Amino acid sequence: MKNLKRILAILCIVLLVALYIVTLVLSVLDVPGADKMFLASAFCTIMLPIMLYIYMWIYKLLKNKEK
């Protein structure tokens, strides 16, 4: 479980950094649909850690049921 948490945490950090960069670039650029892409990027920045926590919580519950 520790290795899985570590891998998921590193993956989450990489994705969050990418989302921050995308959000910054989209806030500066003036391309069609940038406002919608900016909102989607900001939403994913908030939801990604929450979803990761929920997945790990469900995995822990399911693993304990099997024992």
Side-chain angles (χ1 to χ4, degrees), residues 12 16 20 43-54:
C12 187
L16 282 173
Y20 292 149
F43 176 77
C44 289
T45 300
I46 294 169
M47 289 306 295
L48 186 65
I50 294 171
M51 293 302 294
L52 180 63
Y53 176 78
I54 291 171

Side-chain angles (χ1 to χ4, degrees), residues 8-38:
L8 289 175
I10 291 171
L11 180 66
C12 187
I13 289 169
V14 169
L15 288 173
L16 282 173
V17 168
L19 281 170
Y20 292 149
I21 292 170
V22 168
T23 304
L24 178 67
V25 169
L26 288 174
S27 67
V28 174
L29 293 180
D30 188 25
V31 295
D35 56 341
K36 292 179 183 177
M37 289 186 283
F38 175 78

